[in-house]
Amino acid sequence: MKDASYKRHIAKTITWRLVGTIDTIILSWIISGDPLIGLQIGIYEVITKMVLYFLHERVWFKVNLSKDGKILESRKRHIAKTITWRMVGTIDTMTLAWIVTGNPLTGFKIASVEVVTKMLLYYLHERTWYKINFGLPKRTNE
């Protein structure tokens, strides 16, 4: 089971990073007006976000949010994961955009817009993966 969960979390990390990087590149390009800045931020994020996302998945895999022995309902859990991931991701994006552009306001603008787009995309990603059995020995009702 341990090996399977790692494979699942690695696969989720890769698929989420593809979605997230495309979103970051497009938003950074629009806000900065420079497609190269969008690409630079996107490339740096591939590295930082893959590591951060994998760690986030491992923490949430070990978190037991049960009430009276019942596991927290999947939609509530996914909303909580969405919020915690977005906090981590927003700080990372803002920092990287600030470093790449040299302008903290540009970093703030990019991160602010991403809060909305990424939360929606992440929630949809979580719901999709909830329906996929890859890396699970059997489906558990969350």
Side-chain angles (χ1 to χ4, degrees):
M1 182 163 122
K2 189 174 186 180
D3 290 335
S5 72
Y6 274 97
K7 289 177 185 177
R8 179 178 179 83
H9 297 151
I10 289 169
K12 282 181 73 176
T13 299
I14 292 167
T15 58
W16 171 245
R17 187 49 8 224
L18 288 171
V19 171
T21 298
I22 291 167
D23 184 56
T24 297
I25 290 169
I26 292 169
L27 291 175
S28 298
W29 176 1
I30 291 168
I31 291 169
S32 72
D34 185 344
L36 293 177
I37 286 177
L39 282 172
Q40 281 181 311
I41 294 169
I43 288 168
Y44 292 138
E45 271 199 357
V46 167
I47 298 162
T48 60
K49 292 280 193 329
M50 294 262 300
V51 171
L52 292 170
Y53 185 85
F54 180 79
L55 294 173
H56 184 261
E57 278 297 305
R58 294 308 298 166
V59 167
W60 271 97
F61 183 71
K62 294 178 184 208
V63 168
N64 180 9
L65 296 176
S66 61
K67 262 187 172 175
D68 303 324
K70 291 174 67 181
I71 294 174
L72 185 66
E73 192 262 322
S74 70
R75 286 192 191 339
K76 290 177 185 174
R77 181 179 175 88
H78 296 155
I79 289 169
K81 281 181 72 175
T82 299
I83 292 167
T84 59
W85 171 246
R86 185 52 5 227
M87 289 171 21
V88 170
T90 297
I91 291 167
D92 184 57
T93 297
M94 186 168 53
T95 304
L96 289 173
W98 179 357
I99 291 168
V100 169
T101 65
N103 185 340
L105 184 58
T106 301
F108 180 76
K109 286 178 185 178
I110 292 168
S112 296
V113 174
E114 268 197 357
V115 167
V116 176
T117 61
K118 290 286 196 308
M119 284 186 76
L120 175 63
L121 291 169
Y122 184 83
Y123 181 79
L124 294 173
H125 183 261
E126 279 296 305
R127 294 304 300 162
T128 300
W129 270 96
Y130 180 69
K131 296 175 183 181
I132 297 171
N133 290 325
F134 177 78
L136 297 175
K138 65 178 184 170
R139 171 56 64 191
T140 58
N141 292 328
E142 284 191 83

